[in-house]
Amino acid sequence: MSEIARAERPLDLSLSDAELERVRDHVTAFVREQTDAAGVDEVVLGLSGGIDSTLTAYLAVEALGADGVYGLVMPSRVNPEASMSDAERVASELLEIEYDVIAIDPILDAVLAQLPGVESADVDDATIQTAVGNARARIRAVLSYFEANRRSALVLGTGNRSEAAVGYFTKYGDGAVDCHPIATLYKGQVRQLAAHVGVPQHYVEKPASAELWADHSDVGELGIDYPTLDSILALHVDGPLSPSATARALGVDQPVVDRVRGMYEASAHKRAAPPGPAPLF
């Protein structure tokens, strides 16, 4: 979609300071509950330099201490160097957690070399761009679970409510985790909570990108900005308003609301366990 949909009157979903403190306590308690239930005292998470993984790392350290959090920075050729520097800064300077940097290109190239009709040089071919991008996410999941198994740890997800609702994640990639601490927060609330807990403004204001291929951006792929997406989800998908009423309330064309609804319905399989037939006996 060439034009980015933006609401004339986006919904104000901001939280008060008291509400932010409640969410902060709720999330950190959740992380402790998950590790206690699993009988472990450490978590593993991928660090991208973006706001979601940065906030999750901050809250995990609050919950478990720096010794209980291990970070993985997993760059590929399509990740800007600045993003990986931001990720390393979170681990080494801001939180002082143990972390490692593992380049995933050699693994991706080895996978592609085994596929018939695909060469490593084809990674930027538009016809397989999505498949290759998802492979990058799935390789990161493999590495995260290898470290989690080796350390007897849980893998923390970094997914938020907005992206989960429209399926903006890779099935068995960044969606392959043991729990999602910030899953109840819309994207705008993620930024708000990050500022509240002391994440530097550079990360809070940084444009979101999954960086699965060159020049990839969330807004560019979704075709809608996050304030508009959050508002449509809150009023229509999660709320009681019809598509037409939502469009009128926000000052957007109804096809924008319909498109978000379509993404939500089409991605239901990503949010559910793989189905099987009903038992016969």
Side-chain angles (χ1 to χ4, degrees):
M1 182 176 290
S2 58
E3 293 187 5
I4 305 300
R6 292 182 170 86
E8 294 178 3
R9 300 177 293 277
L11 193 65
D12 183 6
L13 295 170
S14 59
L15 302 172
S16 68
D17 286 344
E19 289 170 330
L20 290 168
E21 271 303 299
R22 285 182 60 198
V23 173
R24 181 182 195 167
D25 292 343
H26 186 58
V27 172
T28 54
F30 170 80
V31 172
R32 287 190 294 269
E33 289 165 2
Q34 293 297 303
T35 53
D36 288 347
V40 303
D41 54 13
E42 188 176 9
V43 294
V44 172
L45 81 159
L47 296 170
S48 68
I51 189 59
D52 296 322
S53 69
T54 300
L55 173 60
T56 303
Y58 265 70
L59 295 173
V61 168
E62 284 193 18
L64 304 174
D67 291 342
V69 181
Y70 170 73
L72 277 174
V73 179
M74 297 174 279
S76 77
R77 60 176 64 88
V78 299
N79 297 117
E81 185 176 339
S83 293
M84 298 300 97
S85 296
D86 283 345
E88 288 198 64
R89 182 184 173 219
V90 170
S92 64
E93 297 179 23
L94 300 177
L95 295 177
E96 298 183 343
I97 61 174
E98 182 185 357
Y99 77 101
D100 283 299
V101 179
I102 303 176
I104 67 169
D105 283 330
I107 304 171
L108 175 64
D109 291 344
V111 170
L112 295 179
Q114 299 304 311
L115 296 172
V118 179
E119 302 291 339
S120 295
D122 293 334
V123 293
D124 295 322
D125 187 326
T127 62
I128 62 168
Q129 178 175 263
T130 299
V132 171
N134 285 334
R136 289 188 174 104
R138 290 173 179 136
I139 288 167
R140 292 184 175 113
V142 169
L143 295 172
S144 295
Y145 268 99
F146 182 90
E147 285 297 336
N149 290 162
R150 184 163 69 164
R151 295 167 174 271
S152 296
L154 291 183
V155 176
L156 284 195
T158 63
N160 62 65
R161 186 172 184 171
S162 304
E163 289 156 15
V166 294
Y168 192 65
F169 61 92
T170 298
K171 196 173 185 177
Y172 307 123
D174 50 329
V177 297
D178 292 312
C179 62
H180 278 298
I182 61 171
T184 62
L185 299 175
Y186 294 112
K187 188 73 171 190
Q189 294 170 338
V190 169
R191 295 188 186 280
Q192 191 185 7
L193 181 59
H196 182 77
V197 303
V199 174
Q201 201 66 18
H202 165 71
Y203 295 89
V204 174
E205 297 178 350
K206 187 176 179 180
S209 174
E211 296 182 354
L212 293 182
W213 51 79
D215 301 320
H216 189 201
S217 74
D218 290 8
V219 171
E221 185 177 359
L222 290 169
I224 186 171
D225 70 357
Y226 274 109
T228 304
L229 176 60
D230 289 355
S231 300
I232 292 171
L233 292 172
L235 288 178
H236 173 56
V237 175
D238 298 331
L241 296 191
S242 67
S244 59
T246 300
R248 288 194 300 271
L250 300 177
V252 298
D253 294 333
Q254 185 172 326
V256 175
V257 180
D258 293 338
R259 182 168 179 268
V260 171
R261 182 74 195 188
M263 288 191 288
Y264 170 74
E265 292 176 351
S267 61
H269 67 98
K270 292 178 135 186
R271 296 183 295 274
L280 292 176
F281 309 105

